[in-house]
Amino acid sequence: MSRFVDRVVLHLSAGDGGNGCASIHREKFKPLGGPDGGNGGHGGDIILEVSPQVHTLLDFHFHPHIKASRGSDGAGDHRNGARGEDLVMSVPAGTVVLNEAGETLADLTTTGMRFIAAAGGRGGLGNAALASRARKAPGFALKGEPGEEHDVILELKSMADVGLVGFPSAGKSSLVSVLSAAKPKIADYPFTTLQPNLGVVNVGHDTFTIADVPGLIPGASEGKGLGLDFLRHIERTAVLAHVVDAATLEPGRDPGSDIEALEAELAAYESALDADTGLGDLRDRPRVIILNKADVPEARELAEFVLDDLKEQFGWPVFIISTVAHQGLEPLKYKLMEIVQEHRKAEAGSKGKSAGRAGKTAQPIIVRPKAVAGKRDFVIEADPDNEDGYIVRGEKPERWILQTDFENDEAVGYLGDRLARLGVEEALYKAGATPGCDVTIGHVTFEWEPLTIAGVDTQLTGRGTDIRLEQTERKSAAQRKRESQVRRGLIDEYDFGDGQVAHRERWQG
């Protein structure tokens, strides 16, 4: 038994970056070889790619946990680690990617379109890349960053040109089977189809796709029946066709009331997405009315009786057909093809205008979260669990913490230099931090020992001078000379008599 899955939650773990290498070049007759540690490789990305060979999200339903490979560590002799292999996951056209908050991340509609759902971590720098004029031979390297880990939601929306709507057992699946080569399971059962049936209809030298999606019932917009599982699949259609069972024997049902009930559900339907995907309102979509089962004499009589009333009431084209007897299908096919072609021309015109403004051919657009303008590198917050503590939050400081090997004093010193250059020390001073207080960055808490007297303004002096040099405690030349003579035993360390002259004979005491 096949299953159709149109909404799944994926747990993604991109590959971690490889660690950098701390190595010194060693070769005979080259005592100062210098640092030659290579960089770690980047972790593999998790990429979603639209493939025409995939039609459902069923594989993700059984394997929702996805992890990419990590990058290799760097090595000596300037050898960089290999990048982790990207994990490319095939998805069907019409897949919408959302985050846990329901915000749209990508709308994958075109074959070959790609979206990086989780980015791999960057590899750590080796000591060769960390060498500078002040740091000739670093004795440390940076660790690789962990890859992104988060959940995403995939929703599948059918990419059919024509969507068939109607009550259960109205004959939608039968209509798909006679208009196209699709072979849905058709039987005399009163319940709805459990999965969409997609077919391709040939009209002359052109084609369009038609979808029979699960039957719509009153209350579907509120989640009754298959609810949103149905409505999700008609958002992309160019035209909606109401398939009406003209031979129904249920009390209180007639073609007009059936159409009104379904239109009320479509009007009440609001997409489960929080962000607009640019699909337009369903109420503005073209409609046609199909009165089915005209092979039954009573049904044909009813259809011909209400034909003019439906045209006057709704203003849409009305067709009387029989899927069993293959009656009235040709006019229906050509009318649907005409509406689909008009929709395609309108879309091509809008894409052409946007391409003309850009000066190049229009390319598939991947919707990404908008960047926050003016975002600061970090913020300082008071630690709620520590009266005298502070928390530094920011992408850069937290990433640097992950890159640092805290068992290496030189690496810790390099981290301190980076934080000082970023302005963290000055910000802590302004926030009221004092030396020795607890500061938390990421998962690490340490006692703050400022490298400089943060917050103290430098006093301006004349060119070529610096007032700080006058405040030095450096010993004078005379003091250094006397200490040298004391060390050699030429003078008495404790005798500071006037007129004492140093001599070269060792003092016996």
Side-chain angles (χ1 to χ4, degrees), residues 359-381:
K360 57 183 180 181
T361 305
Q363 298 292 333
I365 298 174
I366 295 179
V367 181
R368 296 182 182 274
K370 296 181 180 178
V372 180
K375 184 178 179 181
R376 295 182 58 189
D377 290 329
F378 66 92
V379 294
I380 306 294
E381 301 176 358

Side-chain angles (χ1 to χ4, degrees), residues 159-207:
M159 298 292 291
D161 296 312
V162 179
L164 303 181
V165 299
F167 276 71
S169 195
K172 301 185 296 301
S173 299
S174 300
L175 181 58
V176 172
S177 68
V178 297
L179 290 180
S180 68
K183 300 298 180 183
K185 295 180 179 179
I186 302 172
D188 186 16
Y189 44 67
F191 49 86
T192 182
T193 305
L194 295 180
Q195 68 181 47
N197 295 304
L198 209 63
V200 179
V201 182
N202 295 308
V203 182
H205 298 287
D206 210 341
T207 61

